Amino acid sequence: MLDHYGDELTLRLSRITETRLLDDDAALTRFMRDLVDRIGMTVLAGPLVATETGPPEKAGKSAVVILAESHAAIHTYPHLREIFVDIFSCKPFREADVLDEFHRLVGDYEITERTLTRRGEEWPRDLTAARELWSTQRIPG
């Protein structure tokens, strides 16, 4: 049993060799489905892909999937040859599987930022204890 609620993996992938699919809604939808399937997660909603227009350094796509285990999101910047990644899950997953899926999408890349954070170390797994903690920390409205 985990001694924390879940893990959150954030990545910045740079110097991407193949950017063609980073601006393709259908390809990103397939990618997000394949990614969450590979890491053993359950889709509740999505994938949803949105376009950010503007100057090339800010233009790209965002894709998100709401999971029974939490969420997975990416933000692509084809002109900068970069992707930002955020995967949060209360179910363990293998970082190597995440990285392999990105290799399938974009070929080679460099990991220029990487953080794996243990979330909810203080959060009780017992629902009764969690409800009590939540009610004591809740700010009255």
Side-chain angles (χ1 to χ4, degrees), residues 20-21 24-38 43 46-49 63 65 74 101 104-105:
R20 179 179 49 87
L21 298 179
D24 182 321
D25 288 24
L28 293 175
T29 297
R30 280 189 307 276
F31 169 76
M32 293 301 286
R33 285 186 186 133
D34 291 347
L35 173 66
V36 298
D37 183 57
R38 171 105 183 241
V43 175
L48 173 66
V49 178
V65 179
I74 64 170
E101 286 301 310
R104 284 190 31 205
L105 179 69

Side-chain angles (χ1 to χ4, degrees), residues 11-65:
L11 301 165
R12 177 180 168 202
L13 308 178
S14 302
R15 296 182 183 86
I16 291 168
T17 58
E18 179 54 58
T19 62
R20 179 179 49 87
L21 298 179
L22 296 185
D23 207 22
D24 182 321
D25 288 24
L28 293 175
T29 297
R30 280 189 307 276
F31 169 76
M32 293 301 286
R33 285 186 186 133
D34 291 347
L35 173 66
V36 298
D37 183 57
R38 171 105 183 241
I39 61 176
M41 304 300 165
T42 306
V43 175
L44 294 180
L48 173 66
V49 178
T51 302
E52 175 64 37
T53 59
E57 67 276 2
K58 294 186 178 181
K61 302 279 184 180
S62 293
V64 65
V65 179

Side-chain angles (χ1 to χ4, degrees), residues 57-131:
E57 67 276 2
K58 294 186 178 181
K61 302 279 184 180
S62 293
V64 65
V65 179
I66 306 302
L67 304 170
E69 300 81 7
S70 194
H71 72 270
I74 64 170
H75 308 283
T76 72
Y77 298 92
H79 297 291
L80 299 177
R81 305 183 82 80
E82 294 200 335
I83 302 173
F84 286 92
V85 181
D86 180 26
I87 300 172
F88 181 32
S89 177
C90 60
K91 178 181 176 184
F93 61 93
R94 288 176 15 101
E95 182 178 347
D97 290 337
V98 172
L99 297 176
D100 285 348
E101 286 301 310
F102 277 100
H103 277 295
R104 284 190 31 205
L105 179 69
V106 299
D108 289 332
Y109 54 80
E110 181 180 320
I111 300 171
T112 49
E113 293 177 18
R114 178 197 172 274
T115 304
L116 181 62
T117 306
R118 295 165 54 106
R119 297 290 188 190
E121 290 180 320
E122 309 275 327
W123 188 256
R125 300 290 287 180
D126 172 61
L127 290 180
T128 302
R131 188 177 304 112

